[in-house]
Coordinates of all heavy atoms in Angstrom, one line a residue:
A413 N 0.4 -0.5 33.8 CA 1.1 0.6 34.5 C 0.2 1.5 35.2 O 0.5 2.2 36.1 CB 2.0 1.4 33.5
L414 N -1.1 1.5 34.8 CA -2.1 2.4 35.3 C -2.9 1.8 36.5 O -3.7 2.4 37.1 CB -3.1 2.9 34.3 CG -2.6 4.0 33.3 CD1 -3.4 4.0 32.1 CD2 -2.7 5.3 34.1
V415 N -2.6 0.5 36.8 CA -3.5 -0.2 37.7 C -3.5 0.5 39.1 O -4.6 0.6 39.7 CB -2.9 -1.7 37.9 CG1 -3.6 -2.3 39.1 CG2 -3.3 -2.5 36.7
D416 N -2.4 1.0 39.6 CA -2.4 1.6 40.9 C -2.7 3.1 40.9 O -2.6 3.7 42.0 CB -1.0 1.3 41.6 CG -0.8 -0.2 41.8 OD1 -1.8 -0.9 42.1 OD2 0.3 -0.6 41.7
H417 N -3.0 3.6 39.8 CA -3.2 5.1 39.7 C -4.7 5.4 39.7 O -5.4 5.1 38.7 CB -2.5 5.7 38.4 CG -1.0 5.6 38.5 ND1 -0.3 4.5 38.2 CD2 -0.1 6.6 38.8 CE1 1.0 4.8 38.3 NE2 1.1 6.0 38.7
Q418 N -5.1 6.0 40.7 CA -6.6 6.4 40.8 C -6.8 7.5 39.8 O -6.0 8.5 39.6 CB -6.9 6.8 42.2 CG -6.8 5.7 43.2 CD -7.2 6.1 44.6 OE1 -7.3 7.3 44.9 NE2 -7.4 5.2 45.5
T419 N -8.0 7.5 39.2 CA -8.4 8.6 38.3 C -8.9 9.8 39.0 O -9.6 9.7 40.0 CB -9.6 8.1 37.4 OG1 -9.1 6.9 36.7 CG2 -10.0 9.1 36.4
L420 N -8.4 11.0 38.5 CA -8.9 12.2 39.1 C -10.4 12.4 38.8 O -10.8 12.0 37.7 CB -8.1 13.4 38.6 CG -6.6 13.4 39.0 CD1 -5.9 14.6 38.2 CD2 -6.5 13.6 40.5
P421 N -11.2 13.1 39.6 CA -12.6 13.3 39.3 C -12.8 13.9 38.0 O -12.2 14.9 37.6 CB -13.0 14.3 40.5 CG -12.0 14.0 41.6 CD -10.7 13.7 40.9
G422 N -13.7 13.3 37.2 CA -14.1 13.9 35.9 C -13.1 13.7 34.8 O -13.3 14.1 33.6
A423 N -12.0 13.0 35.0 CA -11.0 12.8 34.0 C -11.3 11.8 32.9 O -10.7 11.9 31.9 CB -9.6 12.5 34.7
S424 N -12.2 10.9 33.2 CA -12.4 9.8 32.2 C -13.9 9.6 31.9 O -14.2 8.6 31.2 CB -11.8 8.5 32.7 OG -12.4 8.1 33.9
D425 N -14.7 10.5 32.3 CA -16.2 10.2 32.2 C -16.8 10.8 30.9 O -18.0 10.9 30.9 CB -16.9 10.7 33.4 CG -16.8 12.2 33.6 OD1 -16.2 12.8 32.8 OD2 -17.3 12.7 34.7
G426 N -16.0 11.2 30.0 CA -16.6 11.8 28.8 C -16.9 13.3 28.9 O -17.1 13.9 27.8
S427 N -16.9 13.8 30.1 CA -17.2 15.2 30.2 C -15.9 16.0 30.1 O -15.9 17.3 30.1 CB -17.8 15.6 31.6 OG -16.9 15.2 32.6
F428 N -14.8 15.3 30.0 CA -13.5 16.0 29.9 C -13.5 17.0 28.7 O -13.1 18.1 28.8 CB -12.3 15.0 29.8 CG -11.0 15.6 29.3 CD1 -10.4 16.6 30.0 CD2 -10.4 15.2 28.1 CE1 -9.2 17.2 29.6 CE2 -9.3 15.7 27.7 CZ -8.7 16.7 28.4
W429 N -13.9 16.5 27.5 CA -13.8 17.4 26.3 C -14.7 16.8 25.3 O -14.7 15.6 25.0 CB -12.4 17.5 25.8 CG -12.3 18.7 24.9 CD1 -12.3 18.6 23.5 CD2 -12.1 20.0 25.2 NE1 -12.2 19.9 23.0 CE2 -12.0 20.8 24.0 CE3 -12.0 20.7 26.4 CZ2 -11.8 22.1 24.0 CZ3 -11.8 22.1 26.4 CH2 -11.7 22.8 25.2
Q430 N -15.5 17.6 24.6 CA -16.3 17.2 23.5 C -15.5 17.4 22.2 O -15.2 18.5 21.8 CB -17.6 18.0 23.5 CG -18.5 17.9 24.7 CD -18.9 16.4 25.0 OE1 -19.3 15.7 24.1 NE2 -18.8 16.0 26.2
G431 N -15.3 16.3 21.5 CA -14.5 16.4 20.3 C -13.0 16.5 20.6 O -12.6 16.3 21.8
E432 N -12.1 16.7 19.6 CA -10.7 16.7 19.8 C -10.3 18.1 20.5 O -10.8 19.1 20.1 CB -10.0 16.6 18.5 CG -10.1 15.2 17.9 CD -9.3 14.2 18.6 OE1 -8.2 14.5 19.1 OE2 -9.8 13.1 18.8
P433 N -9.5 18.0 21.5 CA -9.1 19.3 22.2 C -8.1 20.0 21.3 O -7.5 19.5 20.3 CB -8.4 18.8 23.5 CG -7.9 17.4 23.1 CD -8.9 16.8 22.2
P434 N -7.9 21.3 21.5 CA -7.1 22.1 20.6 C -5.6 21.7 20.7 O -5.1 21.3 21.8 CB -7.3 23.6 21.1 CG -7.7 23.4 22.5 CD -8.5 22.2 22.6
S435 N -4.9 21.8 19.6 CA -3.5 21.6 19.5 C -2.9 22.7 18.7 O -3.6 23.5 18.1 CB -3.2 20.2 19.0 OG -3.8 20.0 17.7
L436 N -1.6 22.7 18.7 CA -0.9 23.9 18.0 C 0.3 23.4 17.2 O 1.4 23.9 17.4 CB -0.5 25.0 18.9 CG -1.5 26.0 19.3 CD1 -0.9 27.0 20.2 CD2 -2.1 26.7 18.0
H437 N 0.1 22.4 16.4 CA 1.2 22.0 15.5 C 1.4 23.0 14.4 O 0.6 23.8 14.1 CB 1.0 20.5 15.0 CG 0.8 19.5 16.1 ND1 1.9 19.3 17.0 CD2 -0.2 18.8 16.5 CE1 1.4 18.4 17.9 NE2 0.2 18.1 17.6
I438 N 2.6 22.9 13.8 CA 3.0 24.0 12.9 C 2.0 24.3 11.8 O 1.7 25.4 11.4 CB 4.4 23.7 12.3 CG1 4.9 24.9 11.5 CG2 4.4 22.4 11.5 CD1 5.1 26.2 12.3
E439 N 1.3 23.2 11.2 CA 0.4 23.4 10.2 C -0.8 24.2 10.7 O -1.4 25.1 10.0 CB -0.1 22.1 9.7 CG 1.0 21.2 9.0 CD 1.8 20.4 10.1 OE1 1.4 20.5 11.3 OE2 2.7 19.7 9.7
E440 N -1.2 24.0 12.0 CA -2.3 24.7 12.5 C -2.0 26.2 12.8 O -2.8 27.1 12.6 CB -2.8 24.1 13.8 CG -3.3 22.6 13.7 CD -3.4 21.9 15.0 OE1 -2.4 21.4 15.5 OE2 -4.5 21.8 15.5
V441 N -0.7 26.4 13.2 CA -0.3 27.8 13.4 C -0.3 28.6 12.1 O -0.8 29.7 12.0 CB 1.1 27.8 14.0 CG1 1.6 29.2 14.1 CG2 1.1 27.2 15.4
E442 N 0.2 27.9 11.0 CA 0.2 28.6 9.7 C -1.2 28.8 9.2 O -1.5 29.8 8.6 CB 1.0 27.7 8.7 CG 2.5 27.6 9.0 CD 3.2 29.0 8.9 OE1 2.7 29.8 8.1 OE2 4.1 29.2 9.6

Side-chain angles (χ1 to χ4, degrees):
L414 280 161
V415 166
D416 295 326
H417 291 80
Q418 296 179 346
T419 302
L420 294 174
S424 64
D425 62 3
S427 63
F428 164 59
W429 196 263
Q430 299 300 315
E432 291 290 320
S435 57
L436 274 182
H437 301 296
I438 187 62
E439 299 83 4
E440 297 167 279
V441 174
E442 293 296 328

